[in-house]
């Protein structure tokens, strides 16, 4: 089998490690396997080469295409062949970075060593100094995590579930507290000790809908992690049933659900909402038909807020006002007060959402739509 044929299989097997929360494409091009788009901070699309080193895995994760119990062809790329394949794409301007992951074929240490060797070759043999995202394997040693973080711009470890019992429902080979949360803590403590990439970041990912965990359980876990770490972002992977797995007959998770989780997670992570401020249904799930920020606002007693003197923490709780526009409002009103909503619209405020929740110079803009 050629390297290209292997890359096609291994890159498609890597589709479940998310690098983007917008793009739900699940396979890459036949002639250009492994190219997936990520979304940058400014909304631009960044093509990454995303692949596994191997799809051989000893873990029995019930949702996973690479789990040990599935009967399919197991393949592996050597660090050298993978590095050269990536550089071929990079040299042609097809990708701007590498997203590297792997199944656990033998043991955790040897798996991490293969990933680290691949990145080491790129950095030190071939002089590549652009973006690399490296997946940390659950149970990885502190030394291998440290070495990985010295080479990569971003690392991540998938927590997969919100609770220990939730992970036990999905896998019998991983210890939630020891193999995952402890490693997440190590990553956080090591984050700013890299002299090569001192501004490196780390992320995580959950599988949504594979077990019975509610949105409230998921967001409560993330609230705790954000409070105690510098985690950059959480990716929510909507469960998709895979043939020949224990969950092959289970209903898939709607991307509408993961979409609402992204909305609510942003409120918790970036806007510093408490989970108790959010609104859930009787099953502790988010309502799919309504904006979590608007629902939360309707239960708060701070509205309407005065645009010309409300503090930042209140402004960012107004539907239609984001963090950037709130900071612009504060900066401008120091020099001259706002007098009408068109001034807000010019700053990027979604005025039709914000109107029921604000006053400008003491004047109500509209009434609540309750």
């Amino acid at each position: 089998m050629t390297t290209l044929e292997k890359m096609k299989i291994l890159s498609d097997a890597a589709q479940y490690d998310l690098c983007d929360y917008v793009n739900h494409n699940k396979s890459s091009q036949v002639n250009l396997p492994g190219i997936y788009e990520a979304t940058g901070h400014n909304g631009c699309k960044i093509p990454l080469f995303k692949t596994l080193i191997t799809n051989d895995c000893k873990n029995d994760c019930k949702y996973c295409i690479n789990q040990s119990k599935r009967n399919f062809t197991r393949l592996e790329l050597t660090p050298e062949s993978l590095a050269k394949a990536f550089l071929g794409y990079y040299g042609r301007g097809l990708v701007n970075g590498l997203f590297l992951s792997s199944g656990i074929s033998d043991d955790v240490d040897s798996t991490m060593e293969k990933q680290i060797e691949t990145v080491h070759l790129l950095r030190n043999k071939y002089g590549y100094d652009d973006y690399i995202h490296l997946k940390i394997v659950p149970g990885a040693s502190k030394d291998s995590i440290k070495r990985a973080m010295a080479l990569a711009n971003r690392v991540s470890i998938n927590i997969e579930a919100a609770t220990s019992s939730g992970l036990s429902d999905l896998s019998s080979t991983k210890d939630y507290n020891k193999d995952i949360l402890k490693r997440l803590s190590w990553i956080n403590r090591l984050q700013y000790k890299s002299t090569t990439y001192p501004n490196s970041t780390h992320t995580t990912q959950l599988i949504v809908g594979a077990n019975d965990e509610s949105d409230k359980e998921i967001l409560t876990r993330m609230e705790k992690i954000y409070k105690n770490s510098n985690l950059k972002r959480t990716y929510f992977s909507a469960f998709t049933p895979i043939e020949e797995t224990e969950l092959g007959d289970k209903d898939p998770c709607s991307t509408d659900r993961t979409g609402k989780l992204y909305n609510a997670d942003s409120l918790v992570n970036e806007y510093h909402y408490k989970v108790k401020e959010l609104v859930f249904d009787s099953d502790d799930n988010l309502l799919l038909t309504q904006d979590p920020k608007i629902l939360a606002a309707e239960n708060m007693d701070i509205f309407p807020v005065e645009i010309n003197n409300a503090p930042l923490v209140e402004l960012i709780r107004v539907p239609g006002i984001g963090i950037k526009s709130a900071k612009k409002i504060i900066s401008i009103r120091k020099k001259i007060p706002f007098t009408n909503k068109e001034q807000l619209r010019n700053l990027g405020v979604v005025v039709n959402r914000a109107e029921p929740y604000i006053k400008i110079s003491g004047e109500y803009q509209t009434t609540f739509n309750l």
Side-chain angles (χ1 to χ4, degrees):
M1 186 177 293
T2 66
T3 297
L4 184 66
E5 290 171 330
K6 287 184 179 181
M7 282 170 51
K8 174 60 180 173
I9 294 171
L10 292 175
S11 64
D12 283 352
Q15 65 183 265
Y16 301 97
D17 277 321
L18 300 185
C19 60
D20 190 276
Y21 56 90
V22 178
N23 188 355
H24 299 293
N25 290 336
K26 290 298 186 181
S27 62
S28 55
Q29 300 177 49
V30 174
N31 295 326
L32 294 171
I35 301 178
Y36 293 82
E37 287 187 335
T39 303
H41 295 296
N42 58 359
C44 67
K45 296 296 183 180
I46 304 170
L48 300 178
F49 177 56
K50 184 171 65 166
T51 188
L52 303 177
I53 286 182
T54 181
N55 59 6
D56 191 8
C57 192
K58 68 176 185 178
N59 286 332
D60 64 352
C61 303
K62 296 178 182 178
Y63 59 85
C64 185
I65 192 173
N66 302 311
Q67 66 145 279
S68 58
K69 297 179 181 179
R70 287 192 75 232
N71 182 23
F72 66 100
T73 302
R74 307 284 178 165
L75 303 171
E76 182 171 325
L77 291 171
T78 66
E80 181 71 35
S81 63
L82 198 158
K84 287 182 177 179
F86 165 71
L87 289 171
Y89 277 15
Y90 185 76
R92 294 161 62 191
L94 297 173
V95 295
N96 291 342
L98 173 66
F99 187 112
L100 184 60
S101 186
S102 183
I104 304 175
S105 55
D106 298 315
D107 55 63
V108 170
D109 290 338
S110 64
T111 297
M112 284 299 301
E113 194 60 39
K114 291 171 186 175
Q115 291 194 93
I116 292 169
E117 183 182 352
T118 303
V119 180
H120 184 270
L121 286 170
L122 288 170
R123 296 295 196 206
N124 297 292
K125 181 178 179 180
Y126 296 110
Y128 172 78
D129 197 33
D130 213 333
Y131 180 80
I132 293 178
H133 181 149
L134 192 151
K135 278 285 181 182
I136 302 297
V137 176
S141 70
K142 185 180 288 187
D143 178 67
S144 64
I145 293 174
K146 184 177 181 179
R147 291 164 59 211
M149 294 182 73
L151 292 164
N153 305 84
R154 173 173 287 181
V155 298
S156 60
I157 183 169
N158 293 353
I159 67 171
E160 301 183 63
T163 62
S164 179
S165 60
L167 183 64
S168 296
D169 289 338
L170 303 178
S171 175
S172 68
T173 53
K174 299 176 185 176
D175 185 298
Y176 191 67
N177 294 308
K178 179 181 177 182
D179 293 336
I180 297 177
L181 293 187
K182 186 174 183 179
R183 270 62 188 177
L184 186 64
S185 177
W186 287 352
I187 292 170
N188 187 64
R189 292 203 297 269
L190 290 166
Q191 181 174 358
Y192 297 111
K193 294 184 178 181
S194 170
T195 57
T196 309
Y197 299 101
N199 297 316
S200 63
T201 58
H202 63 288
T203 62
T204 193
Q205 179 174 313
L206 284 92
I207 309 297
V208 180
N211 56 28
D212 294 328
E213 291 175 340
S214 68
D215 293 344
K216 188 173 184 178
E217 286 179 299
I218 291 171
L219 291 167
T220 298
R221 169 61 65 188
M222 298 323 304
E223 179 181 45
K224 185 175 182 180
I225 290 176
Y226 291 134
K227 181 180 179 180
N228 296 307
S229 76
N230 296 304
L231 188 75
K232 178 70 173 179
R233 176 180 293 169
T234 302
Y235 291 98
F236 299 103
S237 178
F239 166 74
T240 302
I242 304 294
E243 292 183 1
E244 300 179 28
T245 65
E246 290 90 331
L247 301 181
D249 294 327
K250 187 177 178 65
D251 291 336
C253 174
S254 168
T255 54
D256 290 339
R257 181 182 176 189
T258 53
K260 292 302 179 186
L261 278 168
Y262 278 120
N263 294 154
D265 182 71
S266 176
L267 296 180
V268 174
N269 184 20
E270 301 174 45
Y271 291 72
H272 304 296
Y273 278 60
K274 304 295 184 184
V275 171
K276 64 183 180 182
E277 294 182 274
L278 303 178
V279 176
F280 301 90
D281 65 17
S282 59
D283 294 320
D284 283 338
N285 290 317
L286 297 164
L287 282 73
L288 297 182
T289 57
Q290 300 188 58
D291 184 335
K293 191 174 184 180
I294 291 177
L295 288 174
E298 292 177 354
N299 282 339
M300 295 179 184
D301 59 6
I302 63 172
F303 300 114
V305 302
E306 169 56 60
I307 286 294
N308 286 308
N309 59 33
L312 179 66
V313 69
E314 292 185 359
L315 284 177
I316 62 175
R317 277 164 169 69
V318 175
I321 296 182
I323 295 174
K324 289 183 179 180
S325 55
K327 290 180 177 178
K328 289 178 182 177
I329 289 169
I330 292 174
S331 176
I332 291 172
R333 76 188 186 191
K334 289 178 181 178
K335 303 173 184 177
I336 184 171
F338 287 86
T339 58
N340 61 73
K341 57 191 178 184
E342 285 306 311
Q343 294 170 307
L344 298 178
R345 196 188 311 274
N346 292 336
L347 296 180
V349 173
V350 184
V351 172
N352 64 326
R353 290 188 181 184
E355 282 181 318
Y357 306 96
I358 61 174
K359 293 188 292 184
I360 302 178
S361 297
E363 296 293 327
Y364 291 88
Q365 298 307 296
T366 187
T367 57
F368 282 94
N369 297 317
L370 297 178

